[in-house]
Amino acid sequence: MGTTFFLVRHGIKEKAIGDVPITPQGIIQAQTTAEHISKLPIHAILSSPLRRAIETAEYIAAKTNVEIIVDDRLRERANWGDLPEQTFQEFTQMWDKCTLEPDYIPPIGDSVKSACKRMTSLLTSLAEEYPSGSNIIIVTHGGLITDYIVNTFSEDVLHHFHPEFVAEQSSLVSECSVTTLTYDGENYAIDRFASIEHLMNEPEESTS
């Protein structure tokens, strides 16, 4: 049967510096995602320590009655505000340099390859801890998801999901999209990448 991992990006976050919450629309996304995921038996929910991920995970936890485990290995490669006095432009320039140069170690945060190693370590430990047939939810960040995928799977696999996957990676994982990985005891496979089908009938944010 293998182990199935559902990599969920957090809901839409507030556009501000620091450890920000999700927006009202992000809450709707998280609720819709929770409803979708709760149709399956869930054996564990893990979350990044950043607020936007924890808040998203809380809606899934409430719907599935599964306790959240916060794991630092799920934090984003870097978060705007971690480096004092860094402007948003400086942050995005640093981010883009990391994306283009996977070994580059920024002044704050991790290199792409280090972030990938964190995710790999977590998946390995979870596959060892939970029995075959488990469904595990991982609420994290778009950057970490693509850092892991780009540095784990071949270009042939990546091109199956997008013809310019590496070049476009920073824009491929939408908020509250779900990427499904399966592990058969030896190898990982991507069953679905950044699926947003469950959000297509998402209700509009109330203006009242």
Side-chain angles (χ1 to χ4, degrees):
M1 295 179 63
T3 304
T4 303
F5 298 96
F6 298 92
L7 310 184
V8 180
R9 185 185 176 187
H10 59 78
I12 294 172
K13 66 176 182 176
E14 289 188 3
K15 295 182 179 179
I17 191 170
D19 190 7
V20 297
I22 56 177
T23 65
Q25 189 62 35
I27 292 173
I28 293 172
Q29 288 181 326
Q31 292 171 331
T32 304
T33 303
E35 182 69 31
H36 169 68
I37 285 176
S38 67
K39 296 173 183 177
L40 294 171
I42 302 303
H43 302 88
I45 300 173
L46 289 94
S47 174
S48 157
L50 290 176
R51 182 177 176 183
R52 55 191 182 269
I54 291 177
E55 288 183 351
T56 302
E58 285 174 344
Y59 287 98
I60 300 173
K63 195 69 178 178
T64 59
N65 293 315
V66 177
E67 185 176 347
I68 299 169
I69 301 169
V70 176
D71 196 300
D72 198 48
R73 287 172 289 184
L74 291 173
R75 69 187 185 278
E76 185 60 291
R77 184 203 307 167
N79 188 60
W80 183 36
D82 289 346
L83 188 62
E85 301 183 0
Q86 185 182 47
T87 67
F88 184 67
Q89 181 180 9
E90 291 170 338
F91 174 78
T92 56
Q93 289 174 343
M94 180 190 79
W95 183 274
D96 291 343
K97 181 176 176 64
C98 286
T99 301
L100 292 171
E101 303 174 29
D103 288 309
Y104 171 69
I105 301 175
I108 193 72
D110 292 328
S111 69
V112 166
K113 287 190 175 179
S114 293
C116 174
K117 287 179 180 178
R118 281 197 273 113
M119 176 66 92
T120 301
S121 169
L122 176 63
L123 293 177
T124 299
S125 63
L126 291 172
E128 292 174 349
E129 179 179 355
Y130 290 88
S132 178
S134 296
N135 295 315
I136 299 174
I137 307 300
I138 294 177
V139 185
T140 184
H141 308 271
L144 184 62
I145 292 171
T146 51
D147 286 347
Y148 169 76
I149 288 176
V150 168
N151 289 276
T152 300
F153 297 94
S154 69
E155 288 193 16
D156 286 344
V157 171
L158 301 181
H159 289 167
H160 174 74
F161 296 100
H162 193 284
E164 299 293 335
F165 195 107
V166 175
E168 301 292 331
Q169 61 181 285
S170 295
S171 62
L172 297 181
V173 181
S174 300
E175 287 89 350
C176 273
S177 63
V178 180
T179 296
T180 308
L181 300 178
T182 55
Y183 178 65
D184 63 6
E186 294 184 2
N187 299 299
Y188 289 91
I190 306 173
D191 277 8
R192 305 185 78 181
F193 173 72
S195 174
I196 56 170
E197 289 183 11
H198 61 287
L199 299 175
M200 299 308 289
N201 295 319
E202 176 187 330
E204 293 293 329
E205 180 181 347
S206 173
T207 57
S208 61

